[in-house]
Amino acid sequence: AASNVMGDTAVLAGTFRALDPGVFEWLHGRIEHVTTATAEAHGCAAHVNFAPAMDGVTREEYPPTVNDPRAAALATAVAAAMLGPERVVEVAPVMPAEDFSFFANAYPSAMMWLGAFNQSAGATWPLHSARYVLDEQVLTTGVAMHVGYAAEFLSRGFQANPTP
């Protein structure tokens, strides 16, 4: 299309994320308000739809992924006991859009990252890079972490104090 021709309709698509479910809901309201008010100010109409659709399939919107503090503390303790505390790093909160967030909204959960950087294996690119290479040797550590977490939780619940 030519750059000086204005279409009859326009579609603006994007994503937004928040660390707190309350802020996430507030953002819904603000986006809807600003969108409709801006459209009205220019003599237009706007429709806001937060349900993502791709190839004709509409999905439920991803809620924030929020760790349960008890589950996160247990996972951290298990990781420190299994791998050594020097290999457990607390990271600042991030805003992923994950299927896991639906599960975490229903059950006390924690999402942890398994470090997979390994220069000798060529695993040096971030997860969503087209150049990403998975060092499959880390998968056994991931499985062991899941088993360790499950065993501690089934044995002692959130009161676990695992020992190496």
Side-chain angles (χ1 to χ4, degrees):
S3 61
N4 64 343
V5 176
M6 298 195 323
D8 294 335
T9 62
V11 174
L12 176 64
T15 183
F16 69 98
R17 300 174 186 183
L19 295 171
D20 178 90
V23 171
F24 195 63
E25 286 306 312
W26 177 83
L27 284 169
H28 278 94
R30 294 306 304 153
I31 290 169
E32 188 146 12
H33 172 75
V34 169
T35 301
T36 55
T38 302
E40 288 174 10
H42 294 283
C44 301
H47 170 72
V48 178
N49 181 358
F50 293 108
M54 182 175 282
D55 299 326
V57 176
T58 301
R59 298 179 308 175
E60 188 175 344
E61 182 179 35
Y62 288 99
T65 304
V66 179
N67 283 348
D68 175 86
R70 298 167 304 158
L74 175 60
T76 300
V78 168
M82 291 180 71
L83 306 173
E86 71 283 355
R87 293 185 63 197
V88 178
V89 178
E90 188 169 328
V91 297
V94 296
M95 293 184 262
E98 295 287 340
D99 293 337
F100 179 77
S101 62
F102 293 106
F103 183 84
N105 278 346
Y107 304 98
S109 305
M111 175 177 256
M112 295 183 73
W113 292 342
L114 180 61
F117 182 90
N118 182 342
Q119 200 161 15
S120 65
T124 60
W125 294 91
L127 179 62
H128 294 288
S129 168
R131 296 179 179 172
Y132 177 74
V133 173
L134 173 64
D135 175 12
E136 293 183 1
Q137 292 183 16
V138 304
L139 298 179
T140 55
T141 303
V143 170
M145 286 295 307
H146 279 85
V147 170
Y149 182 92
E152 286 296 330
F153 181 78
L154 291 173
S155 173
R156 300 183 205 129
F158 286 122
Q159 305 307 313
N161 187 12
T163 55

